[in-house]
Amino acid sequence: MATYLLVWNPKRWSWDDLQDKVDELNEKGFVIDTWSFGVSKRVKRGDRVFLIRLGEEPKGIIGSGWAESDLFEDKHWDKSAREVGKYARYVRVRFDKLLNPDNEAILPRKELDHLGEMHWDSQSSGIQIPDVVANRLENLWADFLGSDRFLPTAVAQPAAIEGLLTETKTL
């Protein structure tokens, strides 16, 4: 199982139904959404994802989840690109945690620098997070959320979660 970084920049795209997604997740324990995956071609169903907000404060991790699908192409999310016939790569994501930075604390961007070598300020989604850094991020996220061990409710692939728990125990 690989771990990838998804990027949301509110300066480039307004997420108008974010609070609705947060409310749905809080009610059901998960929420499924489609997310652009940049130029990456490696993500597979069952891979772990973390969502970072960049572009304006507050910046930081606002969500986590699992790839619910393999990559697929569809019309581009950017209206101007779509108008000239461009397509983008997407993945359906099953978010197990999603925070609205307008009304709740998020894991600050500055807290990520000590996790190891990783380019956190990407312009697009789909950058793979190295395994060692992903394990540290998983633990930092769990601590931030205030639990001894954050167990994802999204079971995209049972073996993936079992592997995650095994990797975390060895840190």
Side-chain angles (χ1 to χ4, degrees):
M1 169 189 76
T3 303
Y4 293 91
L5 185 65
L6 303 179
V7 176
W8 172 44
N9 184 339
K11 289 182 176 182
R12 296 183 68 202
W13 178 70
S14 175
W15 194 352
D16 297 329
D17 68 342
L18 173 58
Q19 188 58 52
D20 293 337
K21 297 291 184 183
V22 170
D23 293 343
E24 182 180 345
L25 185 144
N26 290 336
E27 183 178 312
K28 294 184 348 187
F30 69 93
V31 66
I32 296 177
D33 206 352
T34 301
W35 206 266
S36 170
F37 232 79
V39 297
S40 177
K41 296 180 181 178
R42 297 177 300 197
V43 66
K44 302 257 186 269
R45 184 176 187 270
D47 285 342
R48 186 76 163 135
V49 297
F50 284 89
L51 176 60
I52 191 168
R53 173 184 156 130
L54 297 172
E56 64 184 42
E57 295 294 343
K59 297 177 185 178
I61 299 293
I62 68 165
S64 60
W66 301 90
E68 182 80 1
S69 71
D70 289 333
L71 282 172
F72 62 92
E73 283 192 352
D74 203 349
K75 293 179 181 176
H76 203 283
W77 58 268
D78 183 285
K79 185 179 178 182
S80 60
R82 192 172 47 246
E83 288 173 351
V84 295
K86 289 191 177 181
Y87 284 78
R89 292 184 182 94
Y90 296 94
V91 169
R92 279 185 301 282
V93 175
R94 183 177 174 124
F95 286 101
D96 52 36
K97 191 64 182 171
L98 193 57
L99 305 172
N100 185 342
D102 290 338
N103 55 29
E104 55 193 325
I106 64 173
L107 178 60
R109 161 64 188 85
K110 66 182 179 185
E111 297 295 320
L112 305 176
D113 288 333
H114 72 278
L115 297 179
E117 184 134 349
M118 172 65 192
H119 179 66
W120 296 106
D121 299 317
S122 176
Q123 295 297 309
S124 66
S125 295
I127 292 178
Q128 187 169 352
I129 301 173
D131 291 344
V132 170
V133 176
N135 285 334
R136 292 175 183 154
L137 175 58
E138 199 74 58
N139 287 323
L140 181 63
W141 185 234
D143 289 345
F144 175 78
L145 294 173
S147 63
D148 291 334
R149 177 68 198 120
F150 175 62
L151 293 175
T153 57
V155 183
Q157 300 250 348
I161 291 176
E162 183 178 317
L164 171 67
L165 295 175
T166 301
E167 292 170 3
T168 303
K169 289 177 188 173
T170 60
L171 289 178

